[in-house]
Amino acid sequence: AQSVTQPDIHITVSEGASLELRCNYSYGATPYLFWYVQSPGQGLQLLLKYFSGDTLVQGIKGFEAEFKRSQSSFNLRKPSVHWSDAAEYFCAVVYSGYALNFGKGTSLLVTP
Amino acid sequence: ETGVTQTPRHLVMGMTNKKSLKCEQHLGHNAMYWYKQSAKKPLELMFVYSLEERVENNSVPSRFSPECPNSSHLFLHLHTLQPEDSALYLCASSQETSGSGTGELFFGEGSRLTVL
């Protein structure tokens, strides 16, 4: 079954530093991949998605992600992190044409 | 505001109570979902409805009973729950149906359930 793995449970970065959150997927065909963000007490908000085409996708809030088929990865990046980016980040892959299978999430802490 | 509204936001219930969670989407979508989010676990898909028909039930215990009276509303009826059922229950919707979807989901803010 399609699945995603987020190897890092917690990540701490300084404000203004660059960020990369890792995501590896397991899927036989070209996957539909997503990154969602969840702020405390909130639901999940879509940051960006990859279906096909350009492997570098741009999202909201200055985030981008790169699909690398050879590495089965879809890592999320941001060149300069803001304190408001502190949240839980989830990578996900389409499952059964309907719903998403989510990774366990990576909790981002931003220090001054 | 995502266009998906969940009520109540917080619910505390005893193991013998019966309660319901409600979800309403204002996006004109065709599919609706219930996910369970527990601490230190991935989001677990519980149910999927497409055009008001249940198309997926991921081995969820019968103490959880979904209902989808129309494409805009989704309920999760709860009865004789266990303390381990305490979690954040997230509702989502999407445009696609019939397995042709791209999976982009729009989530509500969730209902935080505590079972005593």
Side-chain angles (χ1 to χ4, degrees):
Chain A
Q2 302 89 303
S3 65
V4 291
T5 302
Q6 294 180 248
D8 304 306
I9 299 174
H10 301 282
I11 291 273
T12 300
V13 299
S14 300
E15 190 169 16
S18 63
L19 171 69
E20 183 169 31
L21 302 182
R22 296 183 291 165
C23 173
N24 294 99
Y25 67 88
S26 169
Y27 190 61
T30 300
Y32 294 156
L33 293 160
F34 303 79
W35 275 100
Y36 281 82
V37 61
Q38 185 179 31
S39 297
Q42 302 294 314
L44 279 72
Q45 181 184 21
L46 180 68
L47 282 176
L48 47 79
K49 59 192 177 189
Y50 171 78
F51 295 158
S52 63
D54 193 347
T55 57
L56 184 64
V57 293
Q58 302 296 321
I60 62 171
K61 304 184 180 186
F63 285 92
E64 66 178 26
E66 187 170 12
F67 171 64
K68 292 185 177 180
R69 184 187 301 278
S70 61
Q71 299 177 20
S72 298
S73 69
F74 188 58
N75 294 349
L76 181 71
R77 302 194 295 247
K78 187 170 184 177
S80 177
V81 170
H82 188 262
W83 64 266
S84 60
D85 293 323
E88 190 89 14
Y89 291 81
F90 295 92
C91 184
V93 65
V94 163
Y95 165 76
S96 74
Y98 285 103
L100 302 181
N101 260 349
F102 287 86
K104 291 187 177 182
T106 298
S107 179
L108 175 64
L109 176 66
V110 180
T111 59
Chain B
E1 178 58 49
T2 64
V4 180
T5 304
Q6 290 187 242
T7 55
R9 293 293 310 277
H10 300 273
L11 178 63
V12 179
M13 58 188 290
M15 289 191 284
T16 58
N17 291 158
K18 289 185 180 182
K19 298 286 185 182
S20 295
L21 306 181
K22 178 182 176 182
C23 177
E24 183 174 2
Q25 59 97 358
H26 309 276
L27 301 169
H29 288 165
N30 298 319
M32 296 187 77
Y33 310 75
W34 281 115
Y35 278 87
K36 176 183 178 183
Q37 186 177 30
S38 306
K40 301 181 180 179
K41 285 187 176 181
L43 278 81
E44 302 170 55
L45 177 65
M46 300 176 73
F47 302 104
V48 182
Y49 276 82
S50 174
L51 295 172
E52 301 142 44
E53 287 191 21
R54 192 188 312 178
V55 295
E56 192 139 349
N57 176 347
N58 271 9
S59 302
V60 178
S62 59
R63 58 185 183 269
F64 295 92
S65 174
E67 178 190 2
C68 188
N70 55 62
S71 59
S72 298
H73 294 86
L74 183 66
F75 295 89
L76 188 63
H77 304 300
L78 316 168
H79 62 99
T80 58
L81 295 191
Q82 305 298 311
E84 60 264 29
D85 296 323
S86 299
L88 182 68
Y89 289 84
L90 291 164
C91 174
S93 70
S94 70
Q95 180 60 51
E96 299 83 9
T97 58
S98 304
S100 63
T102 56
E104 182 174 352
L105 302 184
F106 293 77
F107 283 86
E109 293 184 324
S111 294
R112 173 71 63 184
L113 173 65
T114 302
V115 181
L116 302 176

